[in-house]
Amino acid sequence: MLSALQNPRQAAAQLLNFGLILSTAFMMWKGLSVISDSPSPIVVVLSGSMEPAFQRGDLLFLWNRNLMEETKVGEIVVYNVKGKDIPIVHRLVRKFGLGEEAKLLTKGDNNLADDTELYARGQDYIERKDIIGSVIAYIPFVGYVTILLSEHPWLKTVMLGLMGLVVVMQRE
Amino acid sequence: MHSTIVRGQNVFGFFTTVCFVVAALIAASDLLAPRTPKATVAVKDLQVVRGRPHYYSTKKEEYAIIRFSLSADLSSLFSWNTKQVFVYVSASWPNSTLGDAGKGEMVNEAVIWDTIITNPSADHLQNIGPAAMKKLVRSTKGKTIDPSRGKLELKNQKAKYQITSPDGKLAETDNMVLKLHYNVQPWVGVLTWTPQIEFGSWKKVKGGISKAFKLPAIKAKKVVEKKSA
């Protein structure tokens, strides 16, 4: 940091570079969001309820457009429940009706019972608008870093420290 | 600029690039493996009974109890990138309340039976007891791919899930059909479902749909009690 004070031009360039990396990542994320029409086009699996298909830490790519056909039974969807902030990845097992008003029921492959218990009070079915995307592609394990970071907050401090160290060391 | 950190960064960058390229190649190799599944589904026994969704409920609903037979050959779905195949049989039926507007269109669909067939490479991930696991692992004798697991032969199989409709009415529903579907879960890459159109060497399921049938009227209460007793 001392060297940065001595050479403000270099410091500014580095700051800009860092900003560029951040904004590129953000643009790519939002671009994917627009293409897939999903608020969260990539999700990390947090529970074992879809085992053996998905383990904790696996990365899923979502698609939320109905170009050729409607969302149908058998698809693995990610949905939100009112009053719960963590989206759930489960398989669609029942569908009654068509279009926006269709009543949908989900179930985890590894669960014995369907998801009626997970829904809000008095809610028996979810609707198309509760779904933020259907799983179309899969990469194993890559997302496990985010689980580690959220479960062990001290890792964040360690990572920030390491990154700071790298920045200071690079001035040599 | 040739510090240890820069070198470390370069090595890590190259490592991730190689990983992603290899993963992409593996995922693309799926397209080379032909898929020629075939199946026959037939209804064996139909019953409609009245029951409650759970013990404390006062609501009475009509449940269809379906027995079916299934003979399927899905062995072509198993390749080196197959983690599991999720096989499910669904019942679909048109809406009675829509009248002529929704006629012929299968607007309702419900899964009545499903199973997970893992490739031997994914056996250790199954949620089954130790004895069943031992048997499963032993059945393939160290092979990593076992297409013979894709051959299903079910006779007079009872449905796993008893289906009803949101309004609780299901008796005498006409034009119901059973369909076989599958979902191939890869180790890496794109998930695929029963195709609606043929795509390269991936063919549609030959057969896999039952004849249309009509659910019977509700069984007399005495008979139901005798059956459950």
Side-chain angles (χ1 to χ4, degrees):
Chain A
M1 280 298 130
L2 283 173
S3 55
L5 286 176
Q6 284 153 13
N7 191 348
R9 191 178 289 271
Q10 197 194 348
Q14 281 214 326
L15 203 71
L16 271 179
N17 218 345
F18 188 64
L20 199 70
I21 292 169
L22 276 187
S23 56
T24 309
F26 184 70
M27 293 266 284
M28 276 170 75
W29 173 258
K30 283 293 167 194
L32 262 183
S33 214
V34 169
I35 292 169
S36 64
D37 193 24
S38 168
S40 172
I42 301 176
V43 293
V44 174
V45 178
L46 297 176
S47 83
S49 61
M50 281 299 282
E51 277 178 8
F54 306 146
Q55 275 72 45
R56 270 161 61 83
D58 292 349
L59 216 61
L60 306 176
F61 292 79
L62 306 186
W63 182 256
N64 199 25
R65 292 183 190 275
N66 295 116
L67 293 180
M68 306 276 275
E69 53 191 353
E70 286 198 10
T71 309
K72 58 183 189 303
V73 163
E75 279 184 37
I76 305 169
V77 298
V78 179
Y79 65 92
N80 280 315
V81 176
K82 261 173 256 140
K84 291 183 186 172
D85 47 359
I86 297 173
I88 301 172
V89 189
H90 277 177
R91 197 182 295 271
L92 219 56
V93 292
R94 283 179 201 184
K95 176 179 180 184
F96 301 108
L98 285 176
E100 293 292 309
E101 274 107 59
K103 294 181 161 76
L104 308 168
L105 182 72
T106 52
K107 175 184 171 293
D109 286 0
N110 201 16
N111 297 349
L112 285 175
D114 59 49
D115 288 353
T116 321
E117 293 291 314
L118 293 177
Y119 299 157
R121 257 200 117 104
Q123 185 185 11
D124 288 332
Y125 298 97
I126 58 169
E127 285 179 340
R128 182 65 186 84
K129 65 170 168 34
D130 299 320
I131 294 175
I132 61 170
S134 303
V135 180
I136 51 160
Y138 167 87
I139 301 180
F141 200 65
V142 177
Y144 206 82
V145 173
T146 60
I147 292 183
L148 279 181
L149 285 180
S150 61
E151 277 180 5
H152 308 285
W154 56 269
L155 273 176
K156 281 183 203 167
T157 327
V158 170
M159 259 183 75
L160 276 178
L162 276 177
M163 276 154 87
L165 211 67
V166 166
V167 169
V168 173
M169 302 265 275
Q170 258 177 350
R171 300 296 162 78
E172 283 164 6
Chain B
M1 271 295 141
H2 289 281
S3 65
T4 324
I5 290 155
V6 173
R7 273 185 202 160
Q9 276 176 344
N10 285 343
V11 167
F12 183 72
F14 187 63
F15 172 73
T16 47
T17 314
V18 168
C19 281
F20 272 96
V21 169
V22 170
L25 286 175
I26 294 172
S29 75
D30 277 356
L31 290 168
L32 301 174
R35 292 181 177 178
T36 50
K38 49 178 185 275
T40 46
V41 190
V43 179
K44 285 290 157 193
D45 186 41
L46 295 167
Q47 259 185 53
V48 177
V49 296
R50 279 169 74 79
R52 289 176 291 180
H54 51 89
Y55 191 79
Y56 297 105
S57 177
T58 50
K59 198 167 73 173
K60 283 264 189 178
E61 292 175 323
E62 295 168 3
Y63 291 96
I65 301 175
I66 302 172
R67 277 179 177 274
F68 64 96
S69 70
L70 168 72
S71 163
D73 182 2
L74 306 174
S75 48
S76 59
L77 304 178
F78 290 85
S79 73
W80 70 329
N81 191 26
T82 309
K83 189 177 186 185
Q84 69 164 41
V85 177
F86 185 84
V87 184
Y88 53 108
V89 173
S90 75
S92 32
W93 64 97
N95 233 357
S96 52
T97 50
L98 279 178
D100 284 344
K103 215 170 193 179
E105 221 177 342
M106 297 297 183
V107 296
N108 304 303
E109 190 168 25
V111 174
I112 61 164
W113 180 86
D114 59 23
T115 190
I116 294 168
I117 310 175
T118 48
N119 218 4
S121 52
D123 278 353
H124 60 285
L125 301 170
Q126 281 257 42
N127 179 20
I128 50 176
M133 179 67 84
K134 223 172 182 176
K135 205 179 151 198
L136 185 70
V137 171
R138 199 170 290 167
S139 69
T140 53
K141 300 182 205 88
K143 278 189 282 185
T144 50
I145 308 167
D146 187 7
S148 67
R149 283 191 185 171
K151 291 203 170 76
L152 292 172
E153 213 57 61
L154 302 173
K155 289 196 177 80
N156 208 19
Q157 172 69 42
K158 201 177 157 193
K160 260 167 109 173
Y161 312 106
Q162 292 172 10
I163 53 168
T164 183
S165 69
D167 61 0
K169 297 259 181 296
L170 208 59
E172 295 176 68
T173 302
D174 207 355
N175 287 321
M176 203 179 241
V177 290
L178 298 187
K179 262 186 232 167
L180 175 96
H181 313 255
Y182 63 80
N183 166 216
V184 180
Q185 165 72 36
W187 277 107
V188 63
V190 178
L191 280 81
T192 39
W193 278 263
T194 330
Q196 309 291 315
I197 45 165
E198 309 226 319
F199 180 75
S201 55
W202 292 358
K203 303 293 176 213
K204 283 197 232 177
V205 180
K206 224 179 205 173
I209 300 179
S210 78
K211 284 186 197 132
F213 57 91
K214 186 181 181 179
L215 288 180
I218 300 170
K219 272 213 155 184
K221 209 172 181 193
K222 271 177 199 161
V223 183
V224 176
E225 275 171 355
K226 210 190 262 175
K227 277 234 160 168
S228 59

